[in-house]
Amino acid sequence: MEGTRPNVKSHMVWSIMTTLCCCLPLGVAAIICSRRAEQASMAGDASRAEEASRKAKILNIIGLVCGIVLIILIVALQLVAAKQLGG
């Protein structure tokens, strides 16, 4: 059917959450890719939309992992500091 738009996930909400909660630089890059996916989808360019969506997803996964690792490091450092002050 000609004239239909491809249904490609942009991952925009995930990108915004990555920016706000996990890793600012990767989140911003993911937002840019998400927006490109939306624009390509609106233009009917399925291959470009899928590529941008894939990049946004990868950036979000990396940003989430970085955020989790950072949280674990901060908690570990806080526990070490608390143990040293208490002992």
Side-chain angles (χ1 to χ4, degrees):
M1 190 148 98
E2 195 169 329
T4 61
R5 293 182 183 147
N7 188 14
V8 177
K9 283 188 170 185
S10 70
H11 305 289
M12 183 60 82
V13 173
W14 189 9
S15 299
I16 292 169
M17 294 307 295
T18 298
T19 302
L20 296 176
C21 301
C22 297
C23 184
L24 181 68
L26 290 174
V28 171
I31 288 174
I32 292 168
C33 288
S34 294
R35 185 65 186 133
R36 286 182 183 158
E38 289 175 349
Q39 290 173 335
S41 185
M42 293 293 285
D45 189 349
S47 62
R48 203 175 90 213
E50 288 175 8
E51 178 66 19
S53 175
R54 185 185 67 78
K55 286 180 182 178
K57 184 177 180 180
I58 290 169
L59 288 167
N60 281 316
I61 290 170
I62 295 169
L64 178 64
V65 169
C66 288
I68 290 170
V69 168
L70 185 63
I71 289 169
I72 290 170
L73 285 173
I74 290 171
V75 169
L77 289 173
Q78 290 290 333
L79 290 173
V80 168
K83 186 176 180 181
Q84 288 179 350
L85 291 175

